[in-house]
Amino acid sequence: MSIALEDLPEEMQQMIESHKQTLEPLSPEDGVEQYLESKTGEIRSQTVEEYSRKLDHFLDYCDRNDIQNLNNLSGRDLKDYAKYRRENTAPNGRELTNKTLRDDMYILRDMCRYLAEIEAVDRNLSKKVDIPSLNVGDGVRDIQMDPDRVNQILKHLDTYEYASRNHVIWCLKTETGRRPSDIYALDVEDAYVDNDAPYIEVVHRENTQLKNGENGETTIAISDRVAQIIKDYINHKRIDGKTETGRKPLLTSHQGRLSKISIRKAVYQYSCPCIVTNECPHGRDIQDCDAAQKVNHAYECPSSKPPYALRHTYITEKRNQGVPIDVLTERCDASEPVIDKHYDERDDDEKRELRRQILEQARDERDNGGRYL
């Protein structure tokens, strides 16, 4: 039995009315359009098109369920949409894979956060978006890190350990997808952080050899934010020191160039959930937990991750966003067969659709330029 607003206590009526006034009516079509517009310039145009294609399923769901105003979108709707997406939208009557559904729900959650910012949905709605977990049987290793978790760690470092050595390690790992040995090999002179378009240069040198030798050498564009963090680290936090050959390592300790083991420990340490949340998902007493209290034991935490997890997460997410494989091959020093086998879990239909979009984009650019090739 429904209860009329006027039958509720006055205080509750005021609370409901106050909540209603904070929301501005917005149709699903306009909400998706505004969200995609907010992403323009933030991510590649090709990725925006990929987001649009995925959100078309959400618009279909809204049409089918007569959702005309996003103000009315509820947690139950989000759960129903996930079920609809899994069971009714995969090609050839198949059920959608956990991997594909997870990627779609990440986008939906991000859109809900944006919609909350423009007062179109409840501010807590994004928290009600369930992200499917992935198991080894889903085609990926359990080494994969949730991108939201990575962002939480980076935000923690931004806030509490800005421009520290560990902050730089995490920024470089999550910004480039490179191996620990590549980060270890960097010298101060390899960080072009004062450029208008900042970048780092990965060089194969004696005593700091790259896995693939000179074939692994490249320059890697970095964001202005990461460039500023590295610059502040060099100017204020870096322990001054040179190697026996006169080189100035970027990452240093009192003994000289920071060891590869120390780089690995930094990843294990900050991937322990309690570092950021101050809560243990495994029911341990943090004060008595060696993994939480001792850097050398951080790897013992069931939720901690090795450096490879950051590389895997970076490459996988970029492939999901439609970044061309040849771009990642050079940027991350990983061959196409390796990326295809270990980092690209899209099904054949998704790959075909993305290829179609890329070709259409190339055709449009050609037509606009009046050229055949």
Side-chain angles (χ1 to χ4, degrees), residues 47-226:
T47 306
V48 174
E49 289 296 324
E50 180 73 1
Y51 281 20
S52 177
R53 183 179 71 84
K54 288 179 175 293
L55 289 171
D56 279 343
H57 295 293
F58 174 71
L59 293 178
D60 288 341
Y61 170 81
C62 290
D63 284 342
R64 290 169 180 264
N65 292 274
D66 197 30
I67 298 175
Q68 301 179 24
N69 184 354
L70 290 173
N71 295 174
N72 301 322
L73 201 62
S74 67
R76 179 176 297 179
D77 291 322
L78 297 178
K79 291 182 183 297
D80 287 345
Y81 169 69
K83 185 175 185 294
Y84 164 79
R85 180 73 175 103
R86 181 189 293 279
E87 298 178 357
N88 299 289
T89 63
N92 303 321
R94 295 175 299 180
E95 189 170 284
L96 207 67
T97 65
N98 259 14
K99 179 69 174 60
T100 301
L101 181 60
R102 185 195 67 155
D103 296 338
D104 278 27
M105 299 310 283
Y106 274 140
I107 295 172
L108 184 63
R109 182 168 66 182
D110 188 53
M111 186 176 74
C112 286
R113 288 170 177 164
Y114 168 78
L115 294 173
E117 290 176 1
I118 63 172
E119 299 179 338
V121 301
D122 184 271
R123 65 178 63 89
N124 294 315
L125 185 64
S126 64
K127 298 177 182 179
K128 299 177 182 179
V129 179
D130 289 332
I131 306 297
S133 60
L134 294 180
N135 303 310
V136 176
D138 293 316
V140 295
R141 304 178 183 185
D142 58 2
I143 203 169
Q144 176 86 3
M145 285 190 74
D146 184 335
D148 281 349
R149 183 178 166 198
V150 174
N151 288 331
Q152 287 177 343
I153 295 169
L154 290 173
K155 184 177 181 180
H156 173 89
L157 289 165
D158 278 340
T159 304
Y160 299 105
E161 298 187 45
Y162 178 80
S164 66
R165 187 176 65 196
N166 289 332
H167 193 191
V168 172
I169 290 172
W170 270 81
C171 284
L172 287 172
K173 287 292 296 176
T174 57
E175 181 89 354
T176 69
R178 299 289 296 208
R179 300 180 181 89
S181 58
D182 301 337
I183 307 302
Y184 164 82
L186 292 172
D187 289 347
V188 171
E189 66 180 31
D190 299 326
Y192 294 82
V193 293
D194 289 319
N195 289 35
D196 290 337
Y199 66 93
I200 60 172
E201 184 173 17
V202 183
V203 184
H204 178 70
R205 301 185 179 103
E206 186 177 358
N207 298 325
T208 55
Q209 299 180 0
L210 306 180
K211 179 179 179 179
N212 293 320
E214 293 182 356
N215 291 330
E217 293 185 340
T218 192
T219 57
I220 303 175
I222 57 176
S223 65
D224 291 336
R225 181 188 68 84
V226 169

Side-chain angles (χ1 to χ4, degrees), residues 8-51:
L8 295 173
E10 183 177 354
E11 183 178 352
M12 187 174 294
Q13 291 183 39
Q14 292 176 350
M15 182 178 67
I16 293 174
E17 290 295 339
S18 174
H19 175 71
K20 283 184 177 180
Q21 292 169 4
T22 64
L23 299 182
E24 296 291 335
L26 189 68
S27 70
E29 293 80 7
D30 289 341
V32 169
E33 181 179 354
Q34 291 184 32
Y35 168 69
L36 294 175
E37 286 178 354
S38 75
K39 290 297 180 182
T40 302
E42 178 182 327
I43 57 179
R44 292 161 49 93
S45 60
Q46 180 179 311
T47 306
V48 174
E49 289 296 324
E50 180 73 1
Y51 281 20

Side-chain angles (χ1 to χ4, degrees), residues 315-333:
I315 298 178
T316 299
E317 289 304 303
K318 293 304 179 186
R319 288 302 288 145
N320 289 338
Q321 294 170 6
V323 175
I325 194 169
D326 58 324
V327 173
L328 292 173
T329 293
E330 182 174 0
R331 185 175 177 88
C332 301
D333 191 24

